[in-house]
Amino acid sequence: MDNDIGKTLKVCPKCGGSMWIVWKDAQGYEIGRRCDCFEPTMTKRRIANSGISDAFRSKGFKNFDTRGMPVLEKAKKACADYCLNYKTIRETGQNSLLLLGQVGSGKTHLALASANALLDYHKVGTRYMGYREMITKLKQSITDENGYMAMVEPLKKASMLVIDDMLKGKVTESDINILFEIINYRYVCSLPVIVTSERTTDELLEFDSAIGSRLIEMSKGRIIEINGSQYNYRLREMNDGADKTDKN
């Protein structure tokens, strides 16, 4: 990944890519300071390493449509407050965020809006994990110890991990073992996660109490559950389209 980043970033003419400006004082001692390119370069690296696509980078709080629904407005505010107060929240034992329930309610949008805010304003090293795709890749590489570790370690140790659509689709014992490895490491090390899932808190506990209880404890006070088909904007758009067709 770092090699790919290096290819896309222009070398700074001031520091030659070292991100340091070095000179000698009157006594001949070397003195250094960070080059002006340091912050923009680190920002680009954080974004490139995050795994958040350009399309997902466009997800923000300003363009999240609450559709005038109090539940969605409350969810948006809770996520925005989490980001606003992140530096304080990060130091607590309950530093994570759970977005659960109804498909199509905007959970992924809010999770990505939060991730983007943390990347941009708090400079948090964030990793996005599309659950189904990443679990499949990890299972395929599980017999290759080096390859597996190269993929799983960044997920375990990232300053912030976003797990999107956790437990989506058919879940195997291997899925559970890998997910537990990631969640348990972060739980023990007090590393925060932002998780979206169609499961409710009760369903998480029923599915796997070890994973569910850890996530619930890590997210105490910041568990957002959106239940009810009326919050499914995809279904609503389909119904609106059907109504227009009928009228025509």
Side-chain angles (χ1 to χ4, degrees):
M1 176 65 77
D2 288 340
N3 290 337
D4 293 337
I5 294 168
K7 293 175 184 177
T8 62
L9 298 178
K10 293 181 180 180
V11 175
C12 174
K14 293 181 181 180
C15 65
S18 70
M19 293 187 283
W20 283 97
I21 301 294
V22 180
W23 69 94
K24 290 186 178 181
D25 65 11
Q27 285 74 41
Y29 293 104
E30 284 194 344
I31 302 174
R33 67 168 177 82
R34 283 294 187 188
C35 181
D36 294 338
C37 73
F38 176 72
E39 282 300 333
T41 299
M42 295 307 294
T43 296
K44 289 178 181 178
R45 288 184 176 179
R46 279 192 295 270
I47 293 170
N49 283 325
S50 71
I52 301 176
S53 67
D54 290 341
F56 279 179
R57 281 285 291 160
S58 69
K59 304 293 185 183
F61 293 118
K62 288 184 178 179
N63 60 12
F64 178 73
D65 184 8
T66 63
R67 291 162 270 155
M69 296 180 169
V71 169
L72 298 184
E73 290 171 359
K74 184 178 179 181
K76 176 181 175 180
K77 185 179 185 304
C79 292
D81 288 347
Y82 174 76
C83 295
L84 184 65
N85 300 296
Y86 179 76
K87 286 186 177 180
T88 301
I89 293 169
R90 172 65 184 85
E91 301 306 316
T92 69
Q94 291 79 42
N95 55 18
S96 299
L97 181 64
L98 275 181
L99 294 155
L100 307 175
Q102 179 62 49
V103 63
S105 59
K107 300 187 302 295
T108 292
H109 187 132
L110 287 175
L112 287 165
S114 302
N116 287 326
L118 294 175
L119 272 169
D120 295 337
Y121 301 112
H122 290 300
K123 299 178 173 56
V124 178
T126 302
R127 287 267 178 173
Y128 172 81
M129 174 183 167
Y131 172 78
R132 189 73 263 157
E133 180 182 1
M134 181 54 70
I135 284 291
T136 299
K137 288 180 179 179
L138 287 166
K139 286 194 295 185
Q140 289 172 344
S141 67
I142 205 161
T143 55
D144 174 10
E145 184 176 355
N146 291 333
Y148 177 81
M149 293 300 290
M151 280 194 287
V152 79
E153 287 297 300
L155 302 175
K156 290 163 62 176
K157 297 180 179 180
S159 297
M160 168 60 74
L161 178 64
V162 179
I163 306 178
D164 191 23
D165 265 342
M166 190 184 76
L167 303 179
K168 182 80 171 181
K170 184 179 179 180
V171 181
T172 67
E173 185 174 350
S174 294
D175 297 357
I176 297 171
N177 291 337
I178 293 170
L179 185 58
F180 178 79
E181 178 184 352
I182 295 168
I183 296 297
N184 188 59
Y185 184 93
R186 300 187 69 83
Y187 172 78
V188 171
C189 297
S190 295
L191 291 170
V193 291
I194 297 174
V195 175
T196 75
S197 177
E198 293 173 19
R199 310 285 180 118
T200 64
T201 50
D202 288 343
E203 289 170 339
L204 285 180
L205 289 170
E206 183 179 346
F207 174 79
D208 188 276
S209 59
I211 293 172
S213 61
R214 282 165 173 74
L215 287 174
I216 290 168
E217 181 181 341
M218 293 165 73
S219 307
K220 186 177 180 181
R222 276 174 291 277
I223 300 174
I224 300 166
E225 288 197 53
I226 304 171
N227 297 311
S229 60
Q230 69 270 29
Y231 300 113
N232 186 339
Y233 72 89
R234 299 188 192 110
L235 183 61
R236 184 173 178 176
E237 286 179 350
M238 288 174 59
N239 291 335
D240 289 345
D243 290 342
K244 290 178 181 178
T245 302
D246 291 341
K247 290 177 181 178
N248 292 333

